[in-house]
Amino acid sequence: MRQRFWFRLHGWFSLPIWLIFCFVCITGTIAVFSHELTWLTNPDARANNPDNLPAKPVAELVERVEQAYPSADVGTVITFEPYLVNAIVFTDADKPFAIAYVNQYSGEIQQINQGITFINFMRSLHGWLLFPWQSGYSVGYYLVSAMSIVMLGALVTGLIIYKRFWRSFTRPKVRVNQGRKTLLTDLHRLAGVWSIWFLMLMSLTGLWYLVQQIFWHADIDIEPHTPLVEARQLPQAGQQAPAMISFSEAMDIAHKHYPDFNGAYLMMPEHNRDMYKLMGGGDHIFYDQYSYRLAINPWTGELEEAIEPANMTALQTIQHIADPLHYGTIGGIWTKVIWFIFGLILSGMSITGFMIWGSRTVRAARQRRSPAEQQGTLAEGAH
């Protein structure tokens, strides 16, 4: 009786919403290789370097865009892996939003993109199913992150009903000659046992995304807002305005403070009290590419704020290690391959689980029909 309860709970944890769960698994698996797929499908996104040139400073790439578009207002520079171009986001008179794909080795502007990129599309599709954001939250984000509860529940109940599951590590069993149902059950169990670590990792990081969304929705800041330039530091009326430090100088200040700073998301001041906001990675493989955050005063050149792994709070640490663990970027292409394979396995488990649950449900419904009902059906068929 107890075993039947756990089996039913296992089924209802994952199977009634198996379509959404499977879709999230498949899109997440594809998102692991979003950068590589971008390189494969878009030649203009490739940072070809046949002459083996060193990468140019990002400030020089910004100058190339400003020279090509004199009235452009550059807002952000985004860098990716060495085989992808740098993305420079800007606005212009006829371009309310544009991304310049600039080869960091040759300095050539290879494409101007005014739509959504493949990387952003896949991450958005997986992260919040393209549901709109409003007032700091998205229903889709809640729906996707809540799948972590489903996954964790399915994992725990699955281990309870699969007695001595650890034997699958040393004596895996797949019976191919005993019918479709037996084969599906063996594959489902074997994949589940070998994916325990992956299921646990996806569940825990997914739970964090759910907590993070609740914080966003409740206007609770995990990281402090970048400070503003003090009003007394601004040029006064009637005085000659001092020159703001350049983007190149701001990058030099960042590298003096963090010699291993690898800029990933670099934002220019949006107004006269705003700072240079520079985010990048360092020498910590378990932290994401935004774990080093600097705020530089554009009028004085002073470093007003510096956040790094050493001075993060517990919640900030979790926030910056969740993505590398969730998407498998901690070890480059090799960990991405592992995450991709187990993502396919997890997607397959959701399908085989539904097929097993469906066959059992149909069979149980047939068995519940009384002989009288069956006779009635036969009689109606005879007429």
Side-chain angles (χ1 to χ4, degrees):
M1 192 70 180
R2 181 179 297 179
Q3 185 76 358
R4 183 180 300 178
F5 165 77
W6 286 113
F7 183 83
R8 287 181 177 176
L9 186 60
H10 177 72
W12 286 107
F13 251 121
S14 53
L15 300 178
I17 52 174
W18 77 277
L19 185 61
I20 298 176
F21 182 75
C22 184
F23 184 79
V24 171
C25 291
I26 292 174
T27 54
T29 301
I30 297 173
V32 168
F33 279 138
S34 58
H35 290 183
E36 288 76 10
L37 290 172
T38 297
W39 182 92
L40 185 66
T41 58
N42 186 1
D44 290 330
R46 301 171 188 170
N48 296 321
N49 188 18
D51 298 325
N52 200 27
L53 299 172
K56 299 180 182 297
V58 289
E60 183 176 334
L61 303 182
V62 171
E63 291 177 0
R64 296 287 181 98
V65 174
E66 291 173 339
Q67 290 170 2
Y69 300 91
S71 59
D73 182 14
V74 175
T76 307
V77 180
I78 308 171
T79 67
F80 305 98
E81 283 87 346
Y83 55 83
L84 289 178
V85 296
N86 287 186
I88 298 179
V89 183
F90 69 97
T91 60
D92 206 348
D94 59 341
K95 297 177 179 64
F97 178 83
I99 305 174
Y101 290 1
V102 186
N103 189 313
Q104 61 268 34
Y105 306 109
S106 66
E108 177 188 357
I109 300 175
Q110 298 181 176
Q111 182 183 357
I112 300 296
N113 187 329
Q114 297 189 64
I116 187 171
T117 66
F118 180 76
I119 294 172
N120 288 337
F121 173 76
M122 286 310 306
R123 293 294 177 96
S124 301
L125 185 62
H126 172 65
W128 51 89
L129 305 176
L130 297 181
F131 276 67
W133 285 79
Q134 51 189 357
S135 302
Y137 78 96
S138 167
V139 173
Y141 197 102
Y142 271 120
L143 187 61
V144 172
S145 56
M147 291 297 104
S148 61
I149 300 174
V150 170
M151 192 183 308
L152 188 60
L155 172 61
V156 173
T157 54
L159 294 179
I160 291 174
I161 64 177
Y162 187 13
K163 303 298 184 182
R164 299 176 182 177
F165 64 86
W166 53 86
R167 290 184 177 180
S168 292
F169 292 116
T170 57
R171 288 181 287 175
K173 180 174 63 175
V174 179
R175 294 165 289 183
V176 297
N177 299 320
Q178 297 186 24
R180 172 173 165 269
K181 172 193 168 186
T182 301
L183 177 60
L184 287 176
T185 301
D186 287 348
L187 288 174
H188 187 77
R189 289 177 173 177
L190 186 64
V193 171
W194 280 86
S195 302
I196 289 175
W197 69 273
F198 188 74
L199 287 164
M200 185 64 69
L201 190 59
M202 294 300 105
S203 299
L204 294 178
T205 52
L207 282 174
W208 164 251
Y209 294 139
L210 179 60
V211 171
Q212 183 177 252
Q213 173 61 84
I214 293 172
F215 278 21
W216 288 342
H217 198 170
D219 290 328
I220 299 174
D221 294 326
I222 298 175
E223 292 185 321
H225 289 282
T226 303
L228 295 174
V229 175
E230 295 183 15
R232 60 180 177 81
Q233 295 176 325
L234 297 177
Q236 301 299 316
Q239 295 181 354
Q240 183 178 1
M244 296 175 62
I245 66 170
S246 66
F247 178 49
S248 177
E249 292 172 318
M251 290 299 298
D252 289 340
I253 294 171
H255 284 113
K256 287 179 181 178
H257 192 75
Y258 294 129
D260 296 327
F261 180 75
N262 184 18
Y265 199 84
L266 313 168
M267 301 177 65
M268 317 296 172
E270 296 181 359
H271 47 80
N272 63 354
R273 294 194 63 187
D274 199 10
M275 304 269 186
Y276 283 106
K277 298 181 286 290
L278 311 178
M279 289 168 274
D283 55 355
H284 292 76
I285 64 170
F286 286 103
Y287 287 80
D288 63 19
Q289 67 271 37
Y290 312 117
S291 55
Y292 289 81
R293 301 165 59 91
L294 301 97
I296 298 174
N297 190 317
W299 300 102
T300 65
E302 295 179 1
L303 183 62
E304 302 288 351
E305 180 183 67
I307 298 176
E308 59 179 303
N311 60 16
M312 286 181 181
T313 65
L315 290 180
Q316 290 170 356
T317 298
I318 295 173
Q319 178 171 271
H320 286 285
I321 66 175
D323 274 5
L325 293 175
H326 193 77
Y327 290 102
T329 58
I330 54 177
I333 187 65
W334 295 111
T335 50
K336 284 186 178 184
V337 169
I338 295 172
W339 262 241
F340 180 80
I341 292 173
F342 278 91
L344 290 178
I345 292 174
L346 185 56
S347 303
M349 284 176 61
S350 67
I351 296 173
T352 57
F354 176 77
M355 295 172 69
I356 295 169
W357 178 81
S359 63
R360 288 178 182 269
T361 303
V362 170
R363 186 173 67 253
R366 288 174 177 173
Q367 292 174 350
R368 283 195 298 268
R369 296 175 63 186
S370 65
E373 289 176 326
Q374 294 179 12
Q375 290 293 336
T377 302
L378 292 174
E380 290 177 4
H383 288 295

